[in-house]
Amino acid sequence: MSEPDTKRVKTANEAPYELIYWPGIPGRGEFVRLLFEEAGVSYTDTAKSGGDAVPTVLKLMAADNKGDDVNPPSFACPALKHGDLRLSQTPNILLYLGPKLGLAPTEGNGIYHINQIALTILDCFSNEVHDTHHPVALSDYYEAQKPEAKRRAKSFIDERLPKFLAYVQRVLDGKASGDGPWLYGGKLTYADLVLFQGIDGTEFAFPKTMKKMRDSGKYDGVFKLYEAVKERPNIKEYLASDRRSQYSDGIWRHYPELEED
Amino acid sequence: MSEPDTKRVKTANEAPYELIYWPGIPGRGEFVRLLFEEAGVSYTDTAKSGGDAVPTVLKLMAADNKGDDVNPPSFACPALKHGDLRLSQTPNILLYLGPKLGLAPTEGNGIYHINQIALTILDCFSNEVHDTHHPVALSDYYEAQKPEAKRRAKSFIDERLPKFLAYVQRVLDGKASGDGPWLYGGKLTYADLVLFQGIDGTEFAFPKTMKKMRDSGKYDGVFKLYEAVKERPNIKEYLASDRRSQYSDGIWRHYPELEED
């Protein structure tokens, strides 16, 4: 296993963080990476471990992997190692890391509100975007389900996407979002980072559609928040670095025919 | 609003619990109900409020609902009211209630493991089961997407369902599940209740398929856990009561053609 780099790990304990994810795509791992990057906290990313990257994921998901004495096995990646702890499920990893990295409250019920918003954003901008290119046969190629994908994409573009964007705008318009561009409590939280990645990926997958949504003026707060995250110094540096993977055949794919009339 | 019944509310504070959900189906609200029922804690269920039930849900999801000073709005139901707190997103409500109702640890990292397992079970036995009858047009009728549903159901039956069942069996076979039939730490947690409802609903939707899965002998721990939950005194009483809704046109629907060869 590679060693974490030398940046200070600012956590309750001194254990290093390790992210396990597929190489070559941003994917769901990106939601986790953005928390570390914004917080300026070092982490090991197995996706960047060359030839070890795929075997590490396959070992995590193997049929004979039953976890260990204290950790249940993972169904899929991303997964997180932190000391003796092993966690999977994207929203669960974010829930664990948020308060530790200064990206969610450590007391009170705010964490449940942030989890609620993050789950909803993941439903739309990650899970439902994925299903536009894989609506009926999850293990098969896109090319084997193009007519179905076209139909699912139409439902996404015409109904689901505007409905979710309107929801996020409602969150921003509500008093619980507080001052400034952020979703909750007047402060940047991990929900904002999740929204940034969701919008960014969806703009890659459906550029014409997302331009229409921007230009409609109905969701100005959403796109303003997106820009505000993009300009955070640590995020800006990260996006320009080679740690940021390019979009390709992951969750967010650009098939132009899916947004043609 | 109707008053909660007279059973003692065993929570950190004395506020009553109120569940907001669609009437007439178990649906995702059922995951929440099972926690209250197992714990023997009283709750108000707006699904059972007669003519007020649908308007209550519509108000929750209305385009002008922006939450309040402390609570963001909800995208969908189920939602939970507890004192001044308003929460939505099924796994989020369970995460909040679990420790309060004695169905998850109140200290340490166990809650993240339970959340991980619950999220994975919800993905398969609730979300993916739903998508078998609504694969390409979420707001349209099943009848308008039958060929696509047939294809999605085949993928679910042949690949996804066995993969998820094998995962749950691996969790049970792993040491972190502890002694007894339960998923985590040798004790009943809300993850077990989520599995019970997921299996029960999927048996309604795909009875022939689930019988094959049972008879295969590959997932004996999973079905043993299902039976163990069903025999819990409070659950048994609940399932026999009129508080338990019958399956119909919700997440779990029985379309025989979806499991015919």
Side-chain angles (χ1 to χ4, degrees):
Chain A
M1 192 188 307
S2 57
E3 291 294 312
D5 67 37
T6 52
K7 278 186 197 168
R8 179 85 179 143
V9 179
K10 298 173 195 161
T11 58
N13 64 55
E14 295 298 305
Y17 291 106
E18 181 174 284
L19 170 67
I20 299 174
Y21 198 67
W22 296 107
I25 50 169
R28 290 187 171 91
E30 201 64 14
F31 295 108
V32 181
R33 286 185 195 106
L34 285 170
L35 270 65
F36 290 127
E37 296 287 348
E38 168 60 27
V41 165
S42 79
Y43 63 105
T44 305
D45 186 345
T46 66
K48 311 294 161 57
S49 63
D52 289 343
V54 170
T56 302
V57 171
L58 295 178
K59 193 178 159 195
L60 178 84
M61 300 167 61
D64 63 351
N65 185 341
K66 296 173 185 175
D68 60 28
D69 286 3
V70 290
N71 298 285
S74 296
F75 180 77
C77 60
L80 178 76
K81 287 191 187 181
H82 186 211
D84 293 334
L85 187 68
R86 308 282 179 272
L87 293 179
S88 60
Q89 277 279 0
T90 307
N92 188 47
I93 296 171
L94 304 179
L95 181 80
Y96 174 77
L97 289 176
K100 288 188 166 47
L101 302 182
L103 293 166
T106 52
E107 292 185 346
N109 289 322
I111 188 69
Y112 299 103
H113 286 140
I114 293 167
N115 186 41
Q116 167 182 322
I117 297 168
L119 282 162
T120 308
I121 295 169
L122 290 169
D123 277 349
C124 174
F125 299 97
S126 177
N127 301 340
E128 293 204 13
V129 168
H130 171 271
D131 288 352
T132 61
H133 54 76
H134 275 76
V136 290
L138 299 183
S139 65
D140 216 340
Y141 290 108
Y142 163 69
E143 286 70 19
Q145 49 195 311
K146 283 178 77 169
E148 295 93 341
K150 178 77 183 159
R151 206 171 157 196
R152 175 81 184 218
K154 183 171 167 48
S155 164
F156 179 76
I157 291 167
D158 292 350
E159 297 168 24
R160 302 294 288 175
L161 179 62
K163 193 173 171 181
F164 277 101
L165 283 169
Y167 169 73
V168 180
Q169 185 63 48
R170 271 199 283 144
V171 173
L172 290 166
D173 291 342
K175 288 191 178 168
S177 68
D179 295 329
W182 315 121
L183 284 160
Y184 188 74
K187 288 183 186 171
L188 176 83
T189 70
Y190 74 79
D192 300 305
L193 302 177
V194 171
L195 183 69
F196 166 79
Q197 179 54 41
I199 295 287
D200 198 71
T202 306
E203 288 197 324
F204 173 79
F206 295 102
K208 285 166 61 177
T209 302
M210 287 298 274
K211 186 174 183 309
K212 273 186 210 164
M213 298 289 156
R214 259 185 199 262
D215 293 348
S216 76
K218 290 180 189 170
Y219 319 111
D220 285 349
V222 178
F223 291 102
K224 199 174 150 190
L225 193 167
Y226 169 82
E227 300 297 339
V229 171
K230 203 171 189 172
E231 292 303 316
R232 303 279 299 179
N234 286 357
I235 298 293
K236 197 170 182 174
E237 188 270 322
Y238 168 64
L239 295 175
S241 77
D242 62 5
R243 299 195 301 288
R244 172 78 166 182
S245 295
Q246 300 301 303
Y247 294 111
S248 59
D249 283 350
I251 295 167
W252 300 285
R253 305 184 186 188
H254 180 50
Y255 294 122
E257 63 272 21
L258 291 185
E259 58 175 354
E260 276 160 17
D261 288 332
Chain B
M1 192 186 308
S2 59
E3 290 294 313
D5 68 38
T6 54
K7 278 186 196 168
R8 178 85 181 142
V9 179
K10 297 173 195 163
T11 57
N13 64 55
E14 294 299 305
Y17 291 106
E18 180 175 283
L19 170 67
I20 299 175
Y21 198 68
W22 295 108
I25 51 169
R28 291 187 171 92
E30 201 64 13
F31 296 107
V32 182
R33 287 185 194 105
L34 286 169
L35 270 65
F36 290 127
E37 296 288 347
E38 168 60 28
V41 165
S42 77
Y43 63 105
T44 306
D45 186 343
T46 67
K48 311 294 160 57
S49 62
D52 290 341
V54 170
T56 302
V57 170
L58 295 179
K59 193 178 159 195
L60 178 85
M61 299 167 61
D64 63 351
N65 185 341
K66 295 174 184 174
D68 61 28
D69 286 3
V70 290
N71 298 286
S74 296
F75 181 78
C77 59
L80 178 76
K81 287 191 188 182
H82 186 213
D84 294 333
L85 187 68
R86 308 281 179 274
L87 292 179
S88 61
Q89 277 281 359
T90 307
N92 188 48
I93 295 171
L94 304 178
L95 181 81
Y96 173 78
L97 290 176
K100 289 187 165 49
L101 302 181
L103 293 165
T106 53
E107 291 184 348
N109 289 322
I111 188 69
Y112 299 102
H113 285 141
I114 293 166
N115 186 40
Q116 167 183 323
I117 297 167
L119 282 163
T120 308
I121 295 169
L122 290 169
D123 277 348
C124 174
F125 299 97
S126 177
N127 302 340
E128 294 204 13
V129 169
H130 171 271
D131 289 352
T132 61
H133 53 76
H134 276 75
V136 289
L138 300 182
S139 65
D140 216 341
Y141 290 109
Y142 163 68
E143 286 71 19
Q145 50 196 309
K146 284 177 77 168
E148 294 92 342
K150 179 75 182 161
R151 206 172 156 196
R152 175 81 184 218
K154 183 171 167 47
S155 164
F156 179 76
I157 291 167
D158 292 351
E159 296 169 24
R160 301 295 289 176
L161 178 62
K163 193 174 171 180
F164 277 102
L165 284 168
Y167 169 72
V168 180
Q169 186 61 49
R170 270 199 283 144
V171 172
L172 290 166
D173 292 342
K175 289 190 177 169
S177 69
D179 295 329
W182 315 120
L183 285 161
Y184 188 74
K187 289 183 184 170
L188 176 82
T189 69
Y190 74 79
D192 300 306
L193 302 177
V194 171
L195 183 69
F196 166 79
Q197 178 54 42
I199 295 287
D200 197 71
T202 306
E203 288 197 323
F204 172 79
F206 296 102
K208 284 166 62 178
T209 302
M210 287 298 274
K211 184 174 186 308
K212 272 186 211 165
M213 299 288 156
R214 260 184 198 264
D215 293 348
S216 76
K218 290 181 190 170
Y219 320 110
D220 285 349
V222 178
F223 292 102
K224 200 174 151 190
L225 193 168
Y226 169 83
E227 300 297 339
V229 171
K230 202 171 189 173
E231 291 304 316
R232 303 279 299 180
N234 286 357
I235 298 293
K236 196 170 183 174
E237 188 271 322
Y238 168 65
L239 295 175
S241 76
D242 61 6
R243 300 194 301 288
R244 172 79 165 180
S245 296
Q246 300 301 303
Y247 294 110
S248 58
D249 282 349
I251 295 167
W252 300 286
R253 304 184 186 188
H254 180 49
Y255 294 121
E257 63 272 21
L258 291 185
E259 58 175 353
E260 276 161 18
D261 289 331

